[in-house]
């Protein structure tokens, strides 16, 4: 991170001057002899080390706050990957110097010069770059959802003036233009990526409300590139004046297709009608019990009984280093974590004398907590997988979905009244998702050479019982029809020119199509008849299809599109939200084009940062 200084804001350079020795002698300070210290990497001027448990130490970048593995057990991973990361910020020439001295986990101090090897006082002045400052302000506003007007706030202007007096502060219009310019710059990269994709694209639509009755349709595209890497990008944010209209979604889709020039390359459109997870219904059914637990936790966390009844609470680690804490009622996962942590400490809670203004949980309440956590865990684990930084392929979710469906179906008919009370609303909510998605998820799992039709046969038999055969047949016929469509794609031009000519060759066209269909059928049957691959968590379905593309040229084209199907329209950051998405009043006052630029650019910048970090981790792992 380059920093410029002037006489008014530079830190004082430390040099061994005669006056320094005079001061030491006058104050009778004894000068200790210095020892030759071991050289260390310059990366530690921009990184701090922190132990995170289980013998692992991670390195935290003080420039962008990302963290990387450094020590795992007895293995020191070195600093090569840290240097590569800093090159992204500073360039290779800025981090190759070694410096003496112990490593200190303290905030990075700005310097007026960069020491060079073989010279203690060599300095390289850094030129002030006003354009770079404007660019970073725009990125800051985009990444952190700051209001554009912050550049005109007195406090911010004063802070920046003291930091760098040479910089001429920008106004609202300039900041808005800089943010749009950042969006356009990043957009060109996405356009090139989409233009080169060999397959088709899947769109998901999510409608946000606003306080002025307008709606904003967020359209996300998911696709696979020529190297079989899956990508997910927010493409458009379309303002709809009448979001309740039946044409709102179709208008938004048409706008996106034209804007990105992807007409004719659309594979699927998924609407966000209902969140697939039904944990909220279960929490509402048990809301009285949840409130009792919440009141207990609040009382313990805010009173002196903590040390008396919970002497080991600070050392007790639950939920992967998360301590007992109050939940955020806008995030259902935090309520689940609070209930789970409290359940593990229910004996301690039962010994407390509570105030008269709230009721403590009874034994039956704690039993309800235990059962609720058991079934919430099914949803929580699946949601956590979807909330990860990696974009899941459609085949990975079939097993998760049918497992939830099966468990909730069995539990909802339980003779235990508590269990059936908890799971019936969960099943009702999840049934809506399962009925609308099971066919697509089943088709996707057939594209996984570890399962193919076998997992469909097995899971449908568990769920549908005697009616399983008819559902399995639907999947089998459906996947064969899809293959026929892909095989016929090469000869479509013979009978779709639209000018009426060539009708006399209809029989010949049918012959060509039938021949192509039979060839595709043989390719499909060959794939389905081959033995299943061994199941492994490290298996990469994209890599397998990339390697087997020459063997299955038609099948691989379809696999590329089907594996791209999104399993949910919910953004990973919002997967645990309990409320409806709503555009805030400030954003509604901005131009629709500016709103789109801010949200899309934020998505692209964050995705770029995640992919860059994943790439560095993979490189280090290979070494």
């Amino acid at each position: 991170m380059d920093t410029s200084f002037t006489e008014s804001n530079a830190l004082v350079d430390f040099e061994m001057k005669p006056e320094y020795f005079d001061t030491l002698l006058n104050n009778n300070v004894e000068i200790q002899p210095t020892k030759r210290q071991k050289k260390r990497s310059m990366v530690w001027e921009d990184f701090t080390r922190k132990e995170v448990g289980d013998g692992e130490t991670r390195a935290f970048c003080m420039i962008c706050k990302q963290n990387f593995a450094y020590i795992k057990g007895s293995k020191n991973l070195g600093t090569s990957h840290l240097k590569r990361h800093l090159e992204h910020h500073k360039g290779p020439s800025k981090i190759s110097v070694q410096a003496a001295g112990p490593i200190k986990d303290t905030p990075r101090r700005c310097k007026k010069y960069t020491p060079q090897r073989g010279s203690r006082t060599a300095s390289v002045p850094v030129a002030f770059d006003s354009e770079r400052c404007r660019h970073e302000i725009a990125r800051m506003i985009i990444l952190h959802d700051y209001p554009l007007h912050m550049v005109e706030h007195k406090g911010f202007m004063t802070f920046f003036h003291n930091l760098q007096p040479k910089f001429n502060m920008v106004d609202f219009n300039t900041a808005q233009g800089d943010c749009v310019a950042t969006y356009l710059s990043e957009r060109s990269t996405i356009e090139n990526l989409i233009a080169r994709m060999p397959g088709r694209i899947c769109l998901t639509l999510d409608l946000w409300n606003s306080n002025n009755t307008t709606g904003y349709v967020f359209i996300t595209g998911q696709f696979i590139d020529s190297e079989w890497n899956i990508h997910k990008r927010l493409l458009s944010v379309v303002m709809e004046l009448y979001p309740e209209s039946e044409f709102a979604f179709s208008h938004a889709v048409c706008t996106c297709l034209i804007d990105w020039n992807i007409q004719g390359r659309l594979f699927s459109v998924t609407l966000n009608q209902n969140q697939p997870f039904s944990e909220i219904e279960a929490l509402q059914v048990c809301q009285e019990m949840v409130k009792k637990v919440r009141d207990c936790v609040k009382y313990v966390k805010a009173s002196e009984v903590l040390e008396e009844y919970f002497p080991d609470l600070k050392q007790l680690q639950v939920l992967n280093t998360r301590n007992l804490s109050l939940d955020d009622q806008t995030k259902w996962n935090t309520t689940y974590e609070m209930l789970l942590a409290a359940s593990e400490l229910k004996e301690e809670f039962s010994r407390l004398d509570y105030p008269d203004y709230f009721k403590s949980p009874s034994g039956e309440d704690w039993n309800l907590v235990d059962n609720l956590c058991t079934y919430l865990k099914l949803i929580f684990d699946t949601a956590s997988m979807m909330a990860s930084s990696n974009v899941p392929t459609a085949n990975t979710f079939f097993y998760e979905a049918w497992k939830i469906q099966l468990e909730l179906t069995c539990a909802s008919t339980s003779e235990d009244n508590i269990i059936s009370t908890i799971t019936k609303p969960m099943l009702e909510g999840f049934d809506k998702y399962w009925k609308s998605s099971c066919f697509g998820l089943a088709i996707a799992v057939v594209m996984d050479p570890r399962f193919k039709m076998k997992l469909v046969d097995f899971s449908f038999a568990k769920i549908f019982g005697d009616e399983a055969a008819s559902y399995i047949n639907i999947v089998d016929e459906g996947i064969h029809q899809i293959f026929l469509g892909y095989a016929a794609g090469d000869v479509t031009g013979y009978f779709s020119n639209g000018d009426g000519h060539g009708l006399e060759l209809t029989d010949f066209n049918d012959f060509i199509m039938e021949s192509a269909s039979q060839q595709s059928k043989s390719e499909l049957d060959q794939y389905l008849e081959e033995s299943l691959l061994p199941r492994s968590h490290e298996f990469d379905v994209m890599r397998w299809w990339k390697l087997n593309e020459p063997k299955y040229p038609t099948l691989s084209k379809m696999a590329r599109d089907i594996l791209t199907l999104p399993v949910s329209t919910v953004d990973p950051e919002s997967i645990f939200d309990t409320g409806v998405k709503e555009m805030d009043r400030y954003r509604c006052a901005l131009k629709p084009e500016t709103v789109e630029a801010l949200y899309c650019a934020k998505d692209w910048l964050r995705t770029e940062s995640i992919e860059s970090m994943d790439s560095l981790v993979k490189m280090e792992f290979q070494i």
Side-chain angles (χ1 to χ4, degrees):
M1 182 173 64
D2 293 335
T3 309
S4 301
F5 299 91
T6 64
E7 293 181 357
S8 61
N9 64 3
L11 297 177
V12 177
D13 290 344
F14 177 82
E15 296 186 18
M16 302 299 286
K17 298 181 179 180
E19 294 84 352
Y20 173 76
F21 291 101
D22 292 340
T23 303
L24 293 177
L25 292 174
N26 292 335
N27 288 278
N28 296 320
V29 178
E30 182 180 357
I31 302 177
Q32 298 294 334
T34 58
K35 295 182 179 180
R36 181 183 180 91
Q37 294 177 320
K38 184 178 180 180
K39 293 183 177 180
R40 65 179 176 89
S41 174
M42 280 289 290
V43 300
W44 298 114
E45 290 197 1
D46 295 281
F47 279 90
T48 60
R49 298 183 302 177
K50 182 178 180 181
E51 294 183 2
V52 296
D54 297 328
E56 181 179 359
T57 300
R58 298 189 70 82
F60 288 76
C61 177
M62 289 182 284
I63 301 176
C64 66
K65 308 306 180 184
Q66 296 184 41
N67 66 88
F68 305 88
Y70 179 57
I71 296 176
K72 288 187 176 181
S74 59
K75 184 177 180 181
N76 189 315
L77 303 180
T79 60
S80 299
H81 59 309
L82 306 182
K83 292 179 181 177
R84 287 194 293 270
H85 175 72
L86 288 182
E87 288 178 1
H88 176 72
H89 293 296
K90 306 165 67 173
S93 63
K94 300 292 184 181
I95 60 170
S96 60
V97 182
Q98 302 290 321
I103 298 174
K104 297 181 180 179
D105 292 338
T106 56
R108 180 176 180 235
R109 296 184 177 181
C110 300
K111 295 186 176 182
K112 186 176 181 180
Y113 65 91
T114 301
Q116 302 294 324
R117 198 183 288 271
S119 174
R120 293 184 179 179
T121 60
S123 62
V124 178
V126 180
F128 170 63
D129 189 342
S130 179
E131 292 298 320
R132 179 68 179 180
C133 287
R134 286 176 51 182
H135 174 70
E136 292 301 330
I137 289 176
R139 286 173 60 92
M140 176 186 68
I141 291 174
I142 291 170
L143 285 171
H144 302 290
D145 295 323
Y146 293 144
L148 290 165
H149 282 93
M150 73 172 295
V151 296
E152 296 179 345
H153 293 170
K154 184 177 180 181
F156 182 75
M157 295 173 65
T158 302
F159 163 75
F160 219 101
H161 176 74
N162 283 281
L163 185 67
Q164 178 49 265
K166 289 184 177 180
F167 181 65
N168 294 321
M169 282 303 301
V170 297
D171 58 12
F172 168 84
N173 290 330
T174 303
Q176 179 177 242
D178 290 345
C179 288
V180 172
T182 300
Y183 159 77
L184 294 175
S185 176
E186 296 294 328
R187 179 186 168 107
S188 63
T189 302
I190 310 300
E191 287 177 331
N192 292 333
L193 195 61
I194 292 177
R196 295 196 304 268
M197 68 178 183
R200 292 188 277 181
I201 191 169
C202 298
L203 299 181
T204 58
L205 278 64
D206 189 13
L207 178 63
W208 287 30
N209 298 325
S210 69
N211 61 352
N212 60 6
T213 71
T214 59
Y216 292 82
V217 180
F218 284 65
I219 304 179
T220 302
Q222 201 159 295
F223 57 94
I224 296 176
D225 63 24
S226 58
E227 294 298 318
W228 287 86
N229 299 311
I230 190 167
H231 299 274
K232 184 178 181 180
R233 299 289 191 277
L234 178 62
L235 300 182
S236 301
V237 179
V238 183
M239 187 184 76
E240 294 292 340
L241 295 177
Y242 307 100
E244 69 282 355
S245 168
E246 59 180 324
F247 303 106
F249 283 118
S250 59
H251 171 262
V253 170
C254 290
T255 300
C256 178
L257 294 178
I258 295 173
D259 188 33
W260 287 89
N261 193 28
I262 49 177
Q263 306 96 312
R265 307 188 71 183
L266 181 62
F267 183 69
S268 72
V269 176
T270 307
L271 303 181
N272 182 17
Q273 296 177 329
N274 288 299
Q275 190 170 345
F277 303 115
S278 49
E279 67 297 320
I280 300 176
E281 288 90 340
L283 291 173
Q284 289 176 343
V285 170
C286 306
Q287 60 181 339
E288 182 178 349
M289 175 274 298
V290 173
K291 185 180 185 305
K292 289 181 181 180
V293 175
R294 184 181 295 119
D295 286 340
C296 290
V297 175
K298 187 189 303 182
Y299 175 65
V300 168
K301 298 289 285 184
S303 66
E304 296 179 356
V305 302
L306 179 64
E307 295 183 359
E308 180 180 354
Y309 291 95
F310 296 84
D312 299 325
L313 184 59
K314 293 183 179 179
Q315 287 75 36
L316 180 61
Q317 300 295 308
V318 293
L319 295 175
N320 297 327
T321 74
R322 286 190 293 272
N323 290 327
L324 178 70
S325 60
L326 281 171
D327 61 328
D328 175 1
Q329 296 181 48
T330 66
K331 300 282 186 180
W332 69 263
N333 60 311
T334 64
T335 303
Y336 162 71
E337 292 168 352
M338 178 189 70
L339 294 174
L340 185 60
S343 177
E344 295 182 5
L345 300 168
K346 57 188 172 186
E347 293 184 5
E348 285 79 0
F349 277 110
S350 65
R351 301 202 306 267
L352 296 178
D353 292 326
Y354 295 99
D356 295 332
Y357 54 83
F358 73 83
K359 296 181 179 180
S360 61
S362 63
E364 184 178 351
D365 288 329
W366 286 116
N367 187 29
L368 183 59
V369 170
D370 291 339
N371 283 286
L372 180 59
C373 288
T374 297
Y375 292 99
L376 281 180
K377 187 177 187 302
L378 291 171
I379 311 293
F380 175 80
D381 290 343
T382 302
S384 297
M385 179 193 73
M386 297 175 62
S388 65
S389 59
N390 296 324
V391 182
T393 49
N395 63 301
T396 61
F397 197 62
F398 178 80
Y399 172 76
E400 300 290 334
W402 85 261
K403 179 179 66 175
I404 295 173
Q405 176 73 14
L406 181 62
E407 292 283 353
L408 294 180
T409 299
C410 294
S412 64
T413 58
S414 172
E415 295 180 357
D416 189 321
N417 185 56
I418 293 178
I419 293 177
S420 61
T421 300
I422 292 173
T423 55
K424 277 183 179 178
M426 297 177 71
L427 178 62
E428 291 174 1
F430 195 82
D431 263 343
K432 298 176 183 179
Y433 175 77
W434 175 254
K435 290 178 181 179
S436 63
S437 307
C438 66
F439 177 77
L441 296 175
I443 293 291
V445 85
V446 176
M447 296 292 95
D448 192 326
R450 298 171 298 173
F451 302 113
K452 302 181 182 178
M453 281 295 298
K454 297 298 183 183
L455 184 57
V456 176
D457 296 343
F458 175 77
S459 59
F460 278 20
K462 293 281 188 180
I463 296 175
F464 301 112
D466 296 338
E467 300 179 356
S470 60
Y471 287 99
I472 293 172
N473 188 53
I474 292 174
V475 175
D476 185 66
E477 290 184 355
I479 201 164
H480 277 82
Q481 288 297 322
I482 295 175
F483 282 132
L484 295 179
Y486 272 80
D490 293 336
V491 295
T492 302
Y494 281 98
F495 49 87
S496 62
N497 49 23
D499 58 2
H501 298 293
L503 294 178
E504 66 276 6
L505 296 178
T506 301
D507 293 340
F508 177 70
N509 292 333
D510 292 341
F511 171 75
I512 294 293
M513 192 172 200
E514 182 179 357
S515 300
S517 299
Q518 293 300 323
Q519 181 180 359
S520 172
K521 210 172 176 185
S522 300
E523 185 178 311
L524 168 62
D525 291 338
Q526 178 186 351
Y527 166 77
L528 293 177
E529 291 170 3
E530 289 181 347
S531 301
L532 301 180
L533 294 183
R535 293 190 300 277
S536 170
H537 291 295
E538 292 76 26
F539 178 74
D540 187 342
V541 67
M542 294 298 191
R543 177 174 172 79
W544 189 89
W545 279 107
K546 179 181 179 181
L547 295 175
N548 287 271
E549 191 171 4
K551 183 178 180 180
Y552 301 113
T554 302
L555 196 59
S556 63
K557 292 179 181 178
M558 192 190 126
R560 178 186 282 116
D561 292 337
I562 285 185
L563 291 174
T564 314
L565 284 169
V567 297
S568 173
T569 63
V570 183
D571 184 86
E573 291 186 351
S574 307
I575 206 76
F576 296 110
D577 288 355
T578 59
V580 178
K581 284 289 188 180
E582 183 173 293
M583 188 70 68
D584 60 69
R585 184 185 300 272
Y586 177 80
R587 296 292 174 108
C588 289
L590 298 175
K591 297 178 181 178
E593 297 82 2
T594 302
V595 173
E596 181 177 57
L598 292 173
Y599 277 105
C600 289
K602 177 183 177 181
D603 175 77
W604 302 340
L605 291 173
R606 296 186 67 174
T607 302
E608 176 186 324
S609 177
I610 292 172
E611 291 180 348
S612 176
M613 181 175 64
D614 291 342
S615 176
L616 288 171
V617 171
K618 290 179 180 179
M619 291 173 63
E620 185 64 25
F621 177 79
Q622 293 174 356
I623 293 174

